[in-house]
């Protein structure tokens, strides 16, 4: 029996994701009258900060948005992860998601759902409505729409759905880079507004991607306090940066106009943005502390000697940036362990798992213990030994200081059960090192991109922070309300409440606005998820390498 038997959808909702958007950038421009469409939504509705998942990684955050659940329930902890009972690396995809998305409730009530560029929806699933995927689609040949024929229908309408941002002008021409980013999401917005006008829908969720990419690339030009701030370049491109954000504001206006005045509008981001200065290479640190060991074969010994001498992918990246060869960045982005660079440079292939107690795979300080029964060559016994290793790593991580400034690199270290709960907890990293994010960003899946523990960033100057944005405007939302204490897991139950639909019992989030009059719907087998699916891989080996390359281009894996 459906949880929503007898329910009907009685209100439309438009969700606009501004990936990585932060009030730090938006609020001054709103106050100055530079972003009129966002300003209007704020004035007519409620707005405030939106706390994201720990760590603030998009893969986990967008699935938390989609499910209203913490990562311990839905099972997506990062873009990459060690496959169950293995050391090889998997790429997140829709099959990892262990809890159905909130829009399934809308479909069950007879509603039509449109999804566009919502991360972690590839490969597209059958839907009562339509889906156009973007992020993590391997190539143009992939089936990235639902229904499948929609891809050709978009082209037949004379519209363009660009799959991936153009990389060529990164690190070489900020103005052209900003134009590339603007074209990307303006083109996608044209497709989404066309779909909204030509296909039925009750919910549309569309994520504007390049707000995050732009902040990664130009934060040092926005922030005079950043160590890499270039005052002359900032003066030349400040109007171009504003013009980009004004173009995205105009995209918001077009989407709201296409939705109509009676539609409830939600604008939100998966995390915030801010400066960062240095990389913290987690696997190098684990090796320095004796938790990670290398093979003693002749080839690995040679690669380690070259590594110690500075023969690393990050050295190659410095050369590429110096020569302003933006198109080549993706080929040397802090290591490509599964390709030819993994054979040339020190990589996870050189790890001696029979002597390794812990290793890192992920973007934000995720550490996995090499536990017996969990890994094929695990050496740590579950129970007391496992806890002792975790305690020792945490103690030593919290004591780590930057030798240049004596600043603490790790602000907080968590055991997984301190952050997450649910049926997918066993897929979570055993430890999460949460850095001082205004200065340091951890990279684990870099294989061994650099021979340093801590070093100045290369390429990107902005990264993710814990506090994103949320704006809600609609009939049940008092104008001018300040939202406090909202979390990304609150969006799903809030949307269902605003649509007068029941909220599944497994959702961890709280309702921000709207009546929860019927209470939580009881969990049933149709929403129970599929345990143990984290190793289901929809990608071919070639497609997966293309997706990994894309993640490297964006800095999500190193």
């Amino acid at each position: 029996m459906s949880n929503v038997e007898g329910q009907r959808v009685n209100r439309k909702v438009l969700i606009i994701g501004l990936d990585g958007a932060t009030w730090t950038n938006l609020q001054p421009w709103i106050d100055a009258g530079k972003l009129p469409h966002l300003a209007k939504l704020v004035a007519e509705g409620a707005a405030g900060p939106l706390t994201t998942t720990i760590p603030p990684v998009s893969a986990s955050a967008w699935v938390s948005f989609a499910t209203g659940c913490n990562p311990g329930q839905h099972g997506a902890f990062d873009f990459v992860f060690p496959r169950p009972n293995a050391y090889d690396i998997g790429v997140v995809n829709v099959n990892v998601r262990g809890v159905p998305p909130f829009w399934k409730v809308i479909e069950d009530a007879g509603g039509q759902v449109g999804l566009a560029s919502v991360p972690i929806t590839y490969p597209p699933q059958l839907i009562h409505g339509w889906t156009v995927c973007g992020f993590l689609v391997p190539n143009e040949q992939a089936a990235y729409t639902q229904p499948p024929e929609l891809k050709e229908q978009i082209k037949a309408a004379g519209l363009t759905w660009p799959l991936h941002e153009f990389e060529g002008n990164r690190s070489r021409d900020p103005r052209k880079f900003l134009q590339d980013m603007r074209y990307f999401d303006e083109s996608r917005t044209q497709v989404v507004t066309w779909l909204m006008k030509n296909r039925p829908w009750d919910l549309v969720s569309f994520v504007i991607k390049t707000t995050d990419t732009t902040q990664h690339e130009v934060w040092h030009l926005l922030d005079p306090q950043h160590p890499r701030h270039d005052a002359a370049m900032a003066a030349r491109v400040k109007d171009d940066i504003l013009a980009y954000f004004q173009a995205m504001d105009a995209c918001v206006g077009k989407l709201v106009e296409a939705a109509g005045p009676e539609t409830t509008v939600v604008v939100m981001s998966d995390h915030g943005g801010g400066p960062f200065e240095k990389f913290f290479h987690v696997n190098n640190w684990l090796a320095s502390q004796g938790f990670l060991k290398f093979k003693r074969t002749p080839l690995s010994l040679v690669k380690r000697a070259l590594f110690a001498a500075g023969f690393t992918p990050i050295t190659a990246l410095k050369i590429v940036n110096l020569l302003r060869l933006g198109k080549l960045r993706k080929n040397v982005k802090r290591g490509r362990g599964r390709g030819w660079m993994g054979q040339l440079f020190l990589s996870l292939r050189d790890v001696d798992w029979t002597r390794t107690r812990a290793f890192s795979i992920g973007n934000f300080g995720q550490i996995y213990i090499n536990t017996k029964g969990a890994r094929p060559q695990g050496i740590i016994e579950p129970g007391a030994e496992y806890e002792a290793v975790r305690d020792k790593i945490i103690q030593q991580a919290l004591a780590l200081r930057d030798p240049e400034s004596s600043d603490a690199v790790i602000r907080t270290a968590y055991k997984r059960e301190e952050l997450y709960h649910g049926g997918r907890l066993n897929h979570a990293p055993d430890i999460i090192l949460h850095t001082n994010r205004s200065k340091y960003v951890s990279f684990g899946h870099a294989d061994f991109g650099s021979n340093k523990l801590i070093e100045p960033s290369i390429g990107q100057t902005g990264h993710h922070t814990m506090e994103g944005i949320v704006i809600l405007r609609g009939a049940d939302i008092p104008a001018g309300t300040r939202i406090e204490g909202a979390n990304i897991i609150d969006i799903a139950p809030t949307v269902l409440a605003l649509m007068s639909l029941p909220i599944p019992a497994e959702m961890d989030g709280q309702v921000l606005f709207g009546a929860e009059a019927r209470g939580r719907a009881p969990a049933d087998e149709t929403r129970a998820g599929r345990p143990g699916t984290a190793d289901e891989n929809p990608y071919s080996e070639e497609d997966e390498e293309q997706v990994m390359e894309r993640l490297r281009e964006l800095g999500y894996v190193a």
Side-chain angles (χ1 to χ4, degrees):
M1 178 181 294
S2 168
N3 280 338
V4 291
E5 183 177 350
Q7 299 296 326
R8 293 292 180 267
V9 176
N10 63 4
R11 179 179 298 180
K12 288 188 171 187
V13 174
L14 168 66
I15 302 175
I16 304 170
L18 298 177
D19 201 298
T22 172
W23 291 118
T24 302
N25 287 336
L26 297 183
Q27 193 63 59
W29 287 325
I30 288 173
D31 293 342
K34 303 294 186 181
L35 304 177
H37 300 289
L38 286 171
K40 188 172 188 291
L41 291 171
V42 170
E44 295 178 353
L50 187 69
T51 300
T52 190
T53 54
I54 298 177
V57 57
S58 297
S60 181
W62 282 117
V63 180
S64 296
F65 151 78
T67 61
C69 295
N70 86 95
Q73 289 211 67
H74 61 63
F77 298 94
D78 203 339
F79 286 106
V80 290
F81 54 89
R83 298 188 194 279
N85 197 33
Y87 301 107
D88 61 316
I89 296 166
V91 178
V92 72
N93 59 81
V94 75
N95 292 333
V96 172
R97 189 180 66 206
V99 180
F102 75 88
W103 52 81
K104 181 66 165 57
V105 176
I106 300 171
E107 293 179 78
D108 288 347
Q112 298 262 1
V113 174
L115 306 175
S117 183
V118 178
I120 325 302
T121 54
Y122 180 84
Q125 298 182 313
L126 289 173
I127 192 169
H128 191 207
W130 43 270
T131 301
V132 187
C133 297
F135 198 43
L136 303 187
V137 176
N139 51 56
E140 182 61 39
Q141 289 68 48
Y144 59 81
T145 65
Q146 187 63 241
E149 62 270 16
L150 180 57
K151 179 166 73 169
E152 295 305 319
Q153 291 170 352
I154 291 169
K155 295 176 182 177
L159 300 170
T160 300
W161 180 263
L163 277 180
H164 305 133
E165 299 104 314
F166 176 63
E167 278 283 305
N169 289 312
R170 294 184 78 165
S171 80
R172 61 186 300 186
D173 190 329
R175 281 179 169 167
K176 289 184 178 179
F177 164 77
L178 290 162
Q179 291 170 2
D180 295 336
M181 298 302 101
R182 177 173 174 171
Y183 165 79
F184 181 88
D185 271 316
E186 285 181 333
S187 298
R188 285 187 164 189
T189 299
Q190 286 183 324
V191 173
V192 176
T193 54
W194 175 77
L195 286 166
M196 292 170 69
K197 292 173 183 176
N198 290 280
R199 287 178 175 257
W201 60 273
D202 296 286
L203 169 78
V204 164
S205 183
F206 169 45
V207 176
I208 291 175
K209 172 72 182 69
T210 57
T211 40
D212 186 54
T213 310
T214 297
Q215 291 179 160
H216 277 298
E217 191 73 10
V218 304
W219 196 277
H220 64 297
L221 300 176
L222 289 164
D223 182 1
Q225 303 306 313
H226 197 285
R228 286 172 56 189
H229 182 70
D230 182 336
M233 178 62 75
R236 286 197 294 271
V237 303
K238 66 177 183 178
D239 291 341
D240 300 87
I241 295 173
L242 175 58
Y244 163 79
F245 280 97
Q246 287 179 314
M248 297 305 101
D249 180 69
C251 288
V252 170
K254 291 174 183 177
L255 292 160
V256 172
E257 181 181 11
E262 302 303 316
T263 298
T264 296
V265 177
V266 180
V267 179
M268 48 81 64
S269 62
D270 56 327
H271 51 73
F276 89 104
E277 302 175 15
K278 297 182 179 184
F279 293 131
F280 166 48
H281 296 280
V282 185
N283 278 325
N284 289 0
W285 178 76
L286 288 170
S288 75
Q289 302 299 304
F291 295 107
L292 185 149
K293 300 287 187 179
F294 294 100
K295 296 175 182 176
R296 290 170 283 198
T297 62
L299 177 59
S300 290
L301 288 170
V302 168
K303 289 166 75 174
R304 285 185 67 192
L306 291 171
F307 178 77
F311 184 65
T312 67
I314 209 163
T315 303
L317 181 62
K318 290 177 180 178
I319 295 171
V320 165
N321 283 342
L322 181 65
L323 297 177
R324 304 174 74 83
L325 300 175
K327 290 182 179 178
L328 297 182
R329 277 176 51 152
K330 64 185 179 183
N331 293 321
V332 294
K333 201 75 172 279
R334 294 183 294 282
R336 299 186 63 193
R338 305 194 311 172
W340 62 268
M341 290 186 76
Q343 301 175 33
L344 186 63
F345 294 103
L346 190 71
S347 75
L348 289 176
R349 300 176 184 184
D350 300 295
V351 171
D352 184 349
W353 299 111
T354 64
R355 298 189 299 130
T356 288
R357 290 180 289 168
F359 61 99
S360 180
I361 291 176
N363 301 286
F364 293 86
Q366 296 97 327
I367 294 176
Y368 294 84
I369 305 301
N370 194 22
T371 310
K372 287 184 179 180
R375 302 294 162 196
Q377 298 179 68
I379 63 171
I380 302 301
E381 290 285 352
E385 186 181 13
Y386 169 83
E387 294 299 342
V389 171
R390 287 207 299 178
D391 289 341
K392 187 174 183 181
I393 291 173
I394 289 172
Q395 180 185 22
Q396 293 178 205
L398 292 174
L400 177 65
R401 295 294 183 268
D402 185 335
E404 290 188 356
S405 64
S406 298
D407 290 341
V409 176
I410 306 302
R411 177 167 288 170
T412 314
Y414 298 98
K415 296 179 179 181
R416 62 185 180 184
E417 65 272 17
E418 293 173 339
L419 292 177
Y420 315 126
H421 66 272
R424 297 296 183 93
L425 181 63
N426 63 322
H427 293 296
D430 298 282
I431 299 169
I432 299 90
L433 302 182
H434 197 50
T435 58
N436 174 358
R437 298 207 55 79
S438 64
K439 195 166 186 178
Y440 306 98
V441 166
S442 302
F443 277 101
H445 177 63
D447 290 306
F448 300 90
S450 168
N451 62 356
K452 305 290 195 303
L453 295 185
I454 301 166
E455 66 179 334
S457 64
I458 301 297
Q460 297 181 356
T461 58
H463 221 275
H464 303 175
T465 61
M466 288 296 299
E467 196 171 275
I469 72 164
V470 62
I471 308 168
L472 297 102
R473 190 204 68 181
D476 293 337
I477 301 161
T481 302
R482 170 74 177 177
I483 297 174
E484 298 287 357
N487 191 287
I488 196 166
I489 60 175
D490 299 335
I491 302 298
T494 297
V495 169
L496 293 177
L498 290 169
M499 299 180 81
S500 300
L501 293 173
I503 299 164
E506 68 269 21
M507 284 191 178
D508 297 312
Q510 302 299 311
V511 173
L512 301 175
F513 294 95
E516 197 174 348
R518 286 171 300 281
R520 301 278 168 146
D524 67 18
E525 294 182 359
T526 67
R527 291 192 51 85
R530 297 175 299 146
T533 60
D535 57 347
E536 291 186 15
N537 185 10
Y539 297 110
S540 67
E541 184 175 345
E542 180 181 355
D543 286 351
E544 188 168 271
E545 181 53 37
Q546 289 178 335
V547 171
M548 289 289 286
E549 180 174 301
R550 180 66 192 139
L551 289 169
R552 294 184 195 101
E553 292 171 8
L554 295 171
Y556 286 120
V557 301

